[in-house]
């Protein structure tokens, strides 16, 4: 399949930019720690679109972007595992996963 | 001549400091005091020996600067190399003598004064540290080494002023002194950075060499309308102004009187506060040749400070604060003299300034130590608690009187000569400054004798214990310093310490000396009339009104006018407002800066709200803003 | 893989062995953890010494891994700092409630250290990112290590969420860089760098990601909360080792990869330096909790570090490295004293230190020196670090910036004096009693003490930094 | 409209719509499912760009791993049918402004830039090439990151277990 002729690179980049900042917005507005985590996953995936698209469209001579995306996925998995462990820890201590209530350390 | 033994002058005090500091708890307090004192005695002898050798060896009629040691310390960049060493020239040797002498006197005096105080050993450790830093400051071969000792002086004076740490006011004063002088030092530091960047050297000899690059080819760079050199020299002066308590950075000095009195004598009379004068004198060729404008600024600041402080001194009741303001005023004199001076054969002001530094060190230390002796006897700092002490404390009384006469400028005491040279130099350069300094001479005589009469004459209050003369450890330094005050005026200074090392030809001007003696006598007489006896004049007027008109009435009438003018007009309309201005506006501005900082600190408290979503929001918005800014600015 | 590869990557390999050892030791459920502590410290001391052995300058794995004298020097600084922290942490680990945590604690510490070494040795952005994550993710667990404390749990989640976003932003920047240059290898990119708007954006995103670890304002907000919530050794690990690794990496990338385009990042450094110093100072003024106080103090110090970045010559990097070295020792000394106090009494407020000098003169003297060093008072080492930074910035003509920096240094003196005042001057009816300290803790403090006093006067060290930075 | 174009637009629309839905949905389980759709659509995108391996990993790791993990934690911490609180107005405003400003700034900057494609020949993206590169220690080899990630996963594993396990004593 030859995508270059059909779909310009810019479409891909704009798509990833939108997903990245939608994910960021998710992190900023959702009051539940788990949904914040979902926003972070969206951001990481947006970055992956960038890597893959640049690799495919511009620099197909090497697979740098592809492998970077692969590594990002692995790290995202580790991050999610740790995040969930910490969220459960918060749930035990605070009996809630609402981010608004986790603000005892301040000023 | 081999001067390598001078290294001992630096090493001994630091060794004493370490020894007493580490072992002080395990020794008898008195022993640590004796140790410190005898160590300093050795250092003093070494300094005298150095001075004797140095001033005995001229090369072609002039004195050459000698770098006794010059060790490579840091190779910062290829052109900028920092050394550490010892520099001997007339200026540093003279300071060596002054510092060790006064410090020795303070050491001896403290044996009596601080007896039985908690932390006696700690006190002597700090004294040694201070002496070490001060000696290191004056012996520095380069401006960087000087800066380090400069800060060390600040640290050790912080420790000494805050010595009575049980008193909150002492702690506040120590902190204020530290922070205000540090604030000034930031100017000094930036000045050093600029200067070293354009001249590629820190070394004093290279910087002040008349044929050196720093003077012959100053940079032509301009920053905000002023040449960069002028900026650098002014910023360096800012550091000096902080340590020497020039307006408006003087606010720490009066408060610093919370420290033990001998410390005031050491730090606030003879050594640390003249560091600024020393700094300007050290870089004098650079000021004189590359930036005469900044010398002009120095002259005006000095003159203003001396007038300002003299006026405030007239209103103070705490005798140490009177002395503090008097110190400000006298250092103002020294700054004026430097400001109006030229170089070489024109260098009368330079010589006069250092001459005054020299004599002032002795008589001001004497005044402080005398005041300490009085405070020791009556357990109060306030003049109102004193009076009639001349019959209880004869030695203190006589020595204090000598000091007062000296500072007032009565011939043939030393203060007369040095002040006279300054007035001559000012007269030749700038008539307005001369007039101000002449007036200040009168005010000085007035407030010093106001102090003197209030302490030793006037009425005798009820004392809890009958005051008695201080012990010999305290009176011997007084006597020694009194002798120094009397005779130091006869040192042939114009032959020894001049701007270029060559002897300077000076003449004695009766045209200047006459009026200055006159105004001093007037000042003393006014003080005599107002304060010599318990002031009963208003009552006498009342009784005499009932009686007959006679000559006495007339005399009283004149006195009344006199009293009205001096007491009411000058006090209420000049001195009080100036003192108020100092306390509220100048001090207040400093406090305002502090309060504003604290206010802003509270205002942005909300940023750290504890809610991580806002943290993330600040993060991401910050990134976007930064991207935008850098793109826009690029 | 052969022996020479192993000898070049010796630190990473040895640390991996340490991680495995901890795993095995932890699984074997030994009751007596003390021997694990002793063994770990001895082994890590050996690793630290091995780090000082000479090694060859080379690249491995298709230039993904770079080894040279400068990077080895960085790792040695981190090694020594970590060793000091390990020594300090013994008191905390010996507490009964922490005995069971020993293995996990060491395992996580050493894995982050491996991450930092890969970050420093990275030859491309892939390894750098990987190292960064390896250095961050286990730290979030360490922040939440006091499992029964609410504040510790809060610190962990705050750190994780903020760092996840920051690394996502960093990644976004990296992906754009990849698009612009077509490569992520340092050696190739260094030849291609330009100042197009897209590369500016990518670079700033990247700087923000590392700025987060360095806690530059406005990327700093996690710092105080996490420092306060984390256990003491972790806090000092954050403020010294983690920060140091981020600083060195940033310096390597900016000076070595983007060295030909200094205009972009010196400007960013200029802005960040000012905001960081000012905001850090303003917050530090008001703090009562010493851990929070040290958090803001370390933010301010990070602002001073950024001052070095406005000078894009070797001089700038020299001074940054030198400053970091001194900052590490000074900060570790403060944390060392603080951790002895918290371990024994649980107190960490400034008021608790009132009258500390009367009962613990030695500890308070070390603290005094360290705070003077942080405030930059000569003749302790901190002064030289600051002075050189000011000189580096001034030599590029940034006088206004230097003025602001020196002003901030003066303000910082004020709050450092507050602590000194509390220890030496304020009175207290019930001061902290005279505290015992273990031999390990004494050793750690003496190392810091010697460093603070001596470093300023040993010009050989500065010469060495100059030599390796080149 | 050609085939690939249509597929791309469908995928892109799915990604954008479902990601917006997932951050606005009031029911948390639904949000997780929307996220799953986004991730699957992304796998399709990778597949379109000839990165079949990556697409497979995306499906297995995200759909099979992370989303399941998220759903488990949702079940652990909240009731399934409970509705989430609506976002606060201030958060919505601040987040919205930042997101829109971010999209605008990045999109404008990126679209202005002329990318410079490589002129060299493309390499294959088949399993053999990928496998060889993953195990290679030379130029274009990814053995080192592969090894390092194992340390990361070990640390994450131990750490997560440590935090999530109930107190022993």
């Amino acid at each position: 399949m030859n995508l270059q002729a059909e779909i310009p690179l810019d479409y891909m980049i704009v798509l990833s930019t939108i997903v990245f900042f939608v994910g960021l917005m998710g992190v900023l507005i959702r009051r539940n720690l788990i949904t914040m985590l979902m926003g972070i996953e969206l951001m990481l995936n947006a970055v992956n679109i960038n890597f893959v698209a640049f690799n495919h469209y511009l620099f197909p001579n090497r697979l740098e972007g592809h492998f970077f995306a692969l590594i990002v996925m692995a790290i995202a998995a580790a991050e999610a595992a740790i995040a969930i462990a910490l969220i459960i820890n918060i749930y035990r201590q605070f009996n809630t996963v609402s981010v608004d209530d986790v603000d005892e350390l301040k000023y | 001549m081999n001067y390598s033994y001078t290294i001992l002058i630096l090493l001994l005090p630091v060794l004493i400091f370490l020894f007493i500091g580490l072992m002080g708890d395990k020794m008898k307090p008195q022993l640590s005091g004796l140790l410190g004192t005898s160590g300093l005695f050795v250092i003093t002898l070494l300094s005298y020996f150095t001075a004797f050798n140095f001033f005995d060896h001229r090369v072609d009629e002039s004195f050459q600067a000698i770098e006794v040691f010059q060790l490579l310390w840091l190779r910062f960049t290829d052109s900028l190399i920092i050394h550490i060493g010892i520099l001997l020239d007339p200026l540093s040797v003279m300071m060596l003598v002054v510092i060790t002498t006064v410090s020795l006197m303070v050491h001896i005096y403290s044996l009596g004064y601080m007896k039985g105080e908690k932390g006696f050993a700690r006190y002597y450790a700090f004294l040694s540290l201070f002496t070490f830093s001060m000696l290191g400051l004056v012996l520095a071969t380069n401006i960087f080494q000087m800066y380090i000792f400069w800060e060390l002086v600040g640290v050790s004076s912080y420790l000494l002023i805050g010595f009575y740490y049980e008193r909150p006011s002492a702690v506040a004063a120590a902190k204020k002194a530290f922070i205000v002088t540090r604030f000034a030092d930031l100017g000094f530091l930036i000045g050093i950075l600029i200067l070293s960047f354009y001249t590629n050297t820190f070394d004093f000899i290279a910087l002040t060499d008349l044929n050196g690059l720093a003077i012959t080819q100053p940079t032509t760079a301009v920053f905000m309308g002023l040449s960069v050199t002028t900026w650098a020299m002014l910023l360096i002066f800012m550091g000096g102004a902080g340590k020497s308590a020039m307006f408006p950075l003087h606010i720490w000095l009066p408060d610093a009187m919370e420290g033990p009195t001998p410390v005031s004598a050491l730090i606030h009379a003879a050594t640390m506060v003249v560091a600024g004068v020393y700094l300007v004198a050290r870089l004098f060729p650079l000021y004189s040749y590359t930036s005469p404008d900044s010398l002009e600024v120095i002259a005006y600041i000095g003159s203003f400070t001396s007038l300002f402080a003299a006026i405030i001194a007239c209103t103070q009741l705490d005798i140490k604060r009177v002395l503090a303001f008097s110190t400000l005023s006298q250092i103002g004199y020294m700054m004026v003299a430097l400001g109006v001076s030229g170089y070489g054969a024109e260098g009368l002001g330079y010589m006069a300034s250092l001459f005054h530094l020299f004599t002032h060190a002795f008589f001001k230390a004497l005044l402080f130590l005398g005041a300490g002796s009085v405070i020791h006897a009556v357990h109060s700092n306030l003049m109102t608690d004193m009076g009639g002490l001349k019959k209880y404390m004869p030695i203190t009384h006589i020595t204090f009187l000598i000091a007062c006469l000296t500072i007032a400028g009565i011939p043939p005491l030393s203060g007369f000569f040095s002040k006279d040279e300054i007035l001559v130099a000012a007269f030749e350069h700038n008539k307005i400054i001369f007039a101000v300094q002449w007036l200040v001479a009168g005010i000085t005589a007035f407030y010093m004798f106001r102090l003197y009469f209030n302490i030793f004459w006037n009425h005798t209050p009820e004392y809890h214990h009958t005051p008695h003369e201080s012990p010999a450890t305290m009176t011997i330094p007084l006597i020694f310093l009194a002798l120094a005050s009397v005779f130091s005026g006869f040192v042939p200074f114009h032959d020894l310490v001049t701007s270029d090392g060559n002897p300077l030809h000076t003449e004695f001007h009766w045209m200047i000396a006459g009026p200055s003696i006159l105004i001093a006598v007037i000042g003393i007489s006014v003080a005599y009339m107002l304060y010599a006896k318990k002031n009963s004049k208003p009552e006498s007027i009342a009784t005499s009104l009932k009686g007959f008109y006679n000559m006495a009435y007339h005399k009283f009438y004149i006195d009344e006018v006199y009293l009205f003018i001096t007491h009411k007009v000058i006090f209420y309309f000049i001195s009080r407002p100036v003192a108020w201005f100092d306390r509220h506006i100048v001090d207040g501005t400093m406090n305002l800066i502090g309060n504003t900082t604290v206010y802003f600190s509270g205002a942005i408290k909300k940023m750290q709200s504890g809610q991580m979503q806002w943290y993330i929001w600040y993060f991401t918005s910050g990134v976007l803003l930064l991207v935008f800014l850098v793109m826009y600015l690029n | 893989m052969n022996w020479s590869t192993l000898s070049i990557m010796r630190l990473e390999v040895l640390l991996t062995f340490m991680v495995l050892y901890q795993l095995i030791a932890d699984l074997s459920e030994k009751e007596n953890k003390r021997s694990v502590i002793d063994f770990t410290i001895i082994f890590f001391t050996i690793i630290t010494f091995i780090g000082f052995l000479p090694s060859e300058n080379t690249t491995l794995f298709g230039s993904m891994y770079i080894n040279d004298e400068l990077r080895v020097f960085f790792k040695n600084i981190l090694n020594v700092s970590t060793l000091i922290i390990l020594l300090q942490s013994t008191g905390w680990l010996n507490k009964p409630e922490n005995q069971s945590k020993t293995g996990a604690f060491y395992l996580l510490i050493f894995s982050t250290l491996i991450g930092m070494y890969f970050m420093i040795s990275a030859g491309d952005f892939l390894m750098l990112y990987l190292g960064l994550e390896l250095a961050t993710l286990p730290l979030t667990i360490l922040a939440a290590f006091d499992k029964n404390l609410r504040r510790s749990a809060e610190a962990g989640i705050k750190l994780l969420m903020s760092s996840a976003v920051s690394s996502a932003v960093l990644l976004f920047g990296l992906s754009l860089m990849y698009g612009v240059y077509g490569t992520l290898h340092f050696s190739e990119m260094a030849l291609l760098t330009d100042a197009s708007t897209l590369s500016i954006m990518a670079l700033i995103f990247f700087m923000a990601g590392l700025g987060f670890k360095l806690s530059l304002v406005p990327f700093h907000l996690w710092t105080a909360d996490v420092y306060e919530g984390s256990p003491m050794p972790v806090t000092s690990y954050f403020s010294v080792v983690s920060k140091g690794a981020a600083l060195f990496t940033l310096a390597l990338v900016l000076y070595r990869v983007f060295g030909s385009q200094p205009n972009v990042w010196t400007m960013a450094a200029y802005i960040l330096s000012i905001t960081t110093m000012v905001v850090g100072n303003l917050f530090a003024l008001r703090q009562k909790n010493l851990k929070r106080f040290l958090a803001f103090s370390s933010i301010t110090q990070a602002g001073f570090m950024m001052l070095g970045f406005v000078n894009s010559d070797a001089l700038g990097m020299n001074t940054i490295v030198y400053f970091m070295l001194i900052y590490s020792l000074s900060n570790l000394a403060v944390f060392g004293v603080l951790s002895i106090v918290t371990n024994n009494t649980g107190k960490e407020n400034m008021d608790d230190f009132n009258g500390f000098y009367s009962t613990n003169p030695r500890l308070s003297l070390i603290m005094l020196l360290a705070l003077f060093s942080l405030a930059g008072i000569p003749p302790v080492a901190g002064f030289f670090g600051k002075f050189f930074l000011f000189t580096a910035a001034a030599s590029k003509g940034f006088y206004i910036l230097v003025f602001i920096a020196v002003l901030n240094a003066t303000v910082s003196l004020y709050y450092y004096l507050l602590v000194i005042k509390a220890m030496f001057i304020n009175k207290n009816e019930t001061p902290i009693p005279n505290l015992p300290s273990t031999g390990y803790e004494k050793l750690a403090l003496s190392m810091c003490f010697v460093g603070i006093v001596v470093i300023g006067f040993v010009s050989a060290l500065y010469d060495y930094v100059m030599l390796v930075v080149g | 409209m050609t085939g690939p174009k249509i597929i791309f637009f469908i995928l892109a629309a799915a990604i954008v719509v479902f990601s917006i839905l997932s951050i606005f949905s009031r029911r948390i389980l639904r949000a997780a499912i929307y996220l799953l759709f986004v991730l699957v659509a992304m796998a399709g995108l990778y597949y379109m760009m000839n990165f079949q391996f990556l697409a497979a990993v995306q499906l297995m790791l995200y759909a099979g791993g992370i989303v399941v993990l998220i759903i488990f934690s949702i079940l652990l911490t909240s009731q399934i049918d409970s509705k989430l609180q609506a976002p606060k107005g201030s958060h919505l405003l601040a987040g919205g402004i930042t997101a829109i400003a971010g999209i605008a700034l990045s999109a404008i900057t990126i679209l202005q830039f002329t990318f410079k494609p490589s002129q060299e020949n493309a390499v294959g993206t088949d399993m053999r090439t990928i496998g060889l590169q993953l195990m290679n220690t030379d130029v274009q080899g990814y053995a080192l990151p592969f090894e390092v990630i194992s340390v990361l996963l070990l640390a994450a594993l131990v750490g997560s277990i440590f935090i999530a396990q109930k107190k022993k004593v």
Side-chain angles (χ1 to χ4, degrees), chain B residues 122-169:
Chain B
R122 184 161 55 100
Y123 174 79
Y124 270 92
F126 290 166
L127 272 188
S128 300
L129 178 65
F130 179 82
T131 310
F132 163 69
S133 357
M134 200 61 215
L135 290 171
L137 195 161
V138 297
L139 289 175
T141 57
N142 58 71
I143 200 163
F144 186 84
Q145 185 188 352
M146 184 171 172
Y147 181 79
I148 290 181
F149 280 104
W150 183 274
E151 290 291 330
L152 204 56
V153 166
V155 173
S156 44
S157 76
Y158 167 73
L159 296 170
L160 279 172
I161 298 172
F163 182 75
Y164 287 131
Y165 57 79
E166 292 90 351
R167 289 194 210 157
S169 56

Side-chain angles (χ1 to χ4, degrees), chain B residues 73-74 76 144 147 151-152 155 171 182 186 189 193 197-198 601 604-605 607-608 610 615 618-619 623 633, chain C residues 158 166 197 205 208 221 225 267 282-283 286 377-379 383 387-388 391 395 399 406 413 425 456 459 462:
Chain B
W73 179 11
L74 270 179
F76 188 53
F144 186 84
Y147 181 79
E151 290 291 330
L152 204 56
V155 173
V171 174
R182 274 288 291 188
L186 77 88
L189 186 61
L193 291 179
F197 180 65
Y198 283 107
S601 170
I604 58 168
K605 185 170 111 173
M607 193 176 171
Q608 196 84 33
Y615 294 2
Y618 277 111
F619 178 93
V623 177
L633 291 172
Chain C
K158 272 183 176 165
S166 96
T197 48
F205 279 5
L221 285 137
D225 295 1
M267 192 174 303
L282 287 179
F283 273 104
R286 269 202 354 264
I377 310 264
F383 164 72
F387 180 81
F388 293 156
T391 316
S395 72
Y399 295 124
V406 184
L413 175 67
I425 289 165
S459 56
Y462 184 78

Side-chain angles (χ1 to χ4, degrees), chain B residues 136-254:
Chain B
L137 195 161
V138 297
L139 289 175
T141 57
N142 58 71
I143 200 163
F144 186 84
Q145 185 188 352
M146 184 171 172
Y147 181 79
I148 290 181
F149 280 104
W150 183 274
E151 290 291 330
L152 204 56
V153 166
V155 173
S156 44
S157 76
Y158 167 73
L159 296 170
L160 279 172
I161 298 172
F163 182 75
Y164 287 131
Y165 57 79
E166 292 90 351
R167 289 194 210 157
S169 56
V171 174
K175 212 161 84 176
K176 187 172 182 181
F178 202 16
I179 289 184
V180 172
T181 51
R182 274 288 291 188
F183 175 76
D185 291 348
L186 77 88
F188 189 13
L189 186 61
I190 297 177
I192 294 176
L193 291 179
I194 299 176
L195 189 67
S196 61
F197 180 65
Y198 283 107
T199 60
N200 265 328
T201 180
F202 289 112
D203 203 79
F204 283 133
I205 291 184
L207 279 174
T208 57
D209 182 6
L210 290 189
N211 303 317
L213 289 177
I215 288 180
T216 53
Q217 293 167 355
T219 172
T220 50
V222 171
F223 182 73
M224 282 167 58
L226 275 180
S227 85
V228 168
T229 320
T230 304
W231 271 109
M233 298 319 285
L234 280 177
L235 284 167
I236 289 178
F237 172 68
M238 183 177 163
K243 275 270 188 296
S244 286
M246 290 288 102
F247 182 88
L249 297 167
H250 66 281
I251 50 170
W252 62 271
L253 184 60

Side-chain angles (χ1 to χ4, degrees), chain C residues 360-373:
Chain C
N360 294 281
R362 285 225 180 91
L363 291 182
S364 26
L365 279 176
I366 289 177
M367 188 100 155
L368 173 85
L369 271 182
L371 290 173
F372 271 169
S373 178

Side-chain angles (χ1 to χ4, degrees), chain B residues 284-317:
Chain B
F284 190 73
L286 211 54
Y287 274 104
S288 185
Y289 280 95
T290 63
S291 170
D293 298 350
S294 27
L295 275 186
E296 204 72 14
V297 172
I298 292 173
Y300 280 107
I301 289 181
S303 183
F304 179 77
T305 310
S306 79
L307 178 64
F308 180 80
I311 292 172
I312 296 175
C314 298
T315 65
Q316 299 297 314
L317 288 177

Side-chain angles (χ1 to χ4, degrees), chain B residues 25 36 75 82 147 151 230 264 319 357 393 426 526 548 578 584:
Chain B
D25 303 338
R75 189 178 291 277
I82 301 171
Y147 181 79
E151 290 291 330
T230 304
S264 307
I319 61 174
L357 190 160
M393 309 177 75
V526 173
F548 42 92
V578 171
H584 293 94

